[in-house]
Amino acid sequence: MTRLLALLILTTMTLPALSENPVAIAIHGGAGTIERGNLSEAQETAIRSALTEAAQAGHRILSEGGTSLDAVVAAIVILEDAPEFNAGRGAVLTHEGTVELDASIMDGASLAAGAVAGVSGIRHPIEAARRVMTDSPHVLLAGPGANQFARSQGLEFMDEDWFITEFRAEQLRAVQARQDASMQLSEDWFSTVGAVAVDRHGNLAAATSTGGMTNKRWGRVGDSPIIGAGTYADNRACAVSATGHGEFFIRHAVAYDICARVRYTEASLADAAHTVVNQVLTEAGGDGGVIAVDPSGHISMPFNTQGMYRASIDAQGQLDVAIYADD
Ligand code: ASP
């Protein structure tokens, strides 16, 4: 009898642990023409360590029972502060040499979403996007109004100079020197940042933050703050964050298309993500990649470029940091 009671108590105690959802996180820091030898050893080390730090920060929250929303924000703020990536500090420059930032976030449990486009001075645009989701009745705020909203929320602002690195100033000079009067965006390497995660409750979240594309003008906005294009999360399917030539991701609703295939067809996450990136996007002529996670903790990170800065910590707790296709 006592033994039976002990067994019962033990079973009840272990049940919640058994029913917990596996946690997983994936992050990206952009995709593009990233060949071995293009990066100096110091650059590669800085990139790998920022990716590792961001993945671990998000994973720590997940393994302590925190939410996927907190995890993706924690990962992104680290990458927004890291000057190697095109988000927050170190973002690419507009045609006029200024910084205009875009970010978005989505909660897979409720389909709540928030985004900002063309903001400036906000240290962590991802936090502004989150406040749009949680503290406004809207999904997307743009330009001066979005800045004003961020100020009203007490978010941290920095001087424009803080965001601008010499590397991005040089990149703008190079792009402008090789472009004709039509001023097309010409980019062969993107370094937007993103994160997707699933938490212990099986809730998914996705988030993306970027400076857009070098030499952009006329208030150009890419896919990153567009829900369904650069970011999407739905507990019934998956969470996706994209990087690449935004115009193509908007036209093909890339993030939503992957989730819709998972939800409405028999496709696995890996099949859906691979088809959309390597067939739909590639046939359309768009360059880039995505990171995606499903409620069971499966991770998929396809790209059609030479490399994609990426890191993940899977359901088994395994950390993987990679840059090149054959990494
Ligand atoms: N997708 C971003 C945009 O088009 C660029 C990037 O991924 O770096 O704005």
Side-chain angles (χ1 to χ4, degrees), residues 7-325:
L7 191 71
L8 255 176
I9 293 170
L10 202 71
T11 320
T12 355
M13 276 170 61
T14 50
L15 263 182
L18 286 175
S19 64
E20 268 167 11
N21 205 77
V23 302
I25 185 164
I27 62 172
H28 69 74
T33 319
I34 314 168
E35 287 177 313
R36 280 200 168 76
N38 279 5
L39 296 172
S40 70
E41 222 178 288
Q43 280 173 318
E44 191 170 324
T45 307
I47 287 164
R48 285 184 189 272
S49 77
L51 290 171
T52 305
E53 194 194 334
Q56 285 174 339
H59 190 262
R60 198 170 310 121
I61 289 173
L62 297 171
S63 52
E64 286 167 2
T67 67
S68 51
L69 283 169
D70 283 341
V72 294
V73 171
I76 296 237
V77 297
I78 288 172
L79 300 173
E80 284 178 335
D81 275 350
E84 293 78 20
F85 302 99
N86 172 19
R89 181 160 173 249
V92 300
L93 304 183
T94 66
H95 184 68
E96 290 76 23
T98 58
V99 173
E100 289 177 4
L101 306 167
D102 307 329
S104 66
I105 187 164
M106 186 160 184
D107 175 4
S110 60
L111 304 190
V116 290
V119 295
S120 41
I122 304 174
R123 178 169 178 180
H124 293 300
I126 197 62
E127 285 177 347
R130 187 174 189 172
R131 294 297 179 93
V132 173
M133 175 173 77
T134 55
D135 290 80
S136 92
H138 309 298
V139 169
L140 173 59
L141 298 180
N147 283 341
Q148 211 182 328
F149 170 76
R151 279 196 196 281
S152 75
Q153 291 290 314
L155 296 186
E156 189 177 359
F157 276 68
M158 304 298 275
D159 289 341
E160 177 138 81
D161 287 354
W162 182 82
F163 293 88
I164 300 177
T165 61
E166 182 43 39
F167 176 68
R168 295 302 185 192
E170 177 50 39
Q171 201 174 33
L172 178 65
R173 284 192 286 272
V175 169
Q176 291 186 337
R178 71 167 191 255
Q179 281 187 344
D180 62 17
S182 69
M183 287 301 167
Q184 290 285 313
L185 297 166
S186 79
E187 196 102 35
D188 51 7
W189 142 48
F190 313 92
S191 44
T192 286
V193 307
V196 293
V198 56
D199 63 28
R200 275 200 189 154
H201 307 287
N203 289 328
L204 298 173
T208 312
S209 182
T210 189
M213 286 172 74
T214 305
N215 202 32
K216 66 182 184 180
R217 67 193 304 196
W218 304 310
R220 181 264 183 191
V221 174
D223 60 312
S224 308
I226 307 297
I227 298 301
T231 303
Y232 203 75
D234 181 341
N235 278 4
R236 296 165 295 186
C238 60
V240 178
S241 168
T243 175
H245 196 147
E247 280 69 8
F248 292 87
F249 285 74
I250 295 174
R251 291 187 197 111
H252 296 276
V254 164
Y256 178 75
D257 191 9
I258 294 170
C259 291
R261 285 168 193 259
V262 171
R263 187 170 165 210
Y264 300 120
T265 76
E266 298 292 299
S268 66
L269 178 72
D271 285 347
H274 173 80
T275 305
V276 173
V277 170
N278 296 110
Q279 284 177 28
V280 178
L281 190 67
T282 304
E283 281 162 20
D287 288 339
V290 303
I291 50 167
V293 67
D294 72 11
S296 314
H298 297 118
I299 292 171
S300 180
M301 303 194 277
F303 50 95
N304 66 9
T305 48
Q306 277 164 338
M308 181 165 81
Y309 301 129
R310 60 202 187 278
S312 60
I313 301 181
D314 67 15
Q316 285 70 47
Q318 180 71 37
L319 168 73
D320 183 33
V321 183
I323 295 180
Y324 311 104

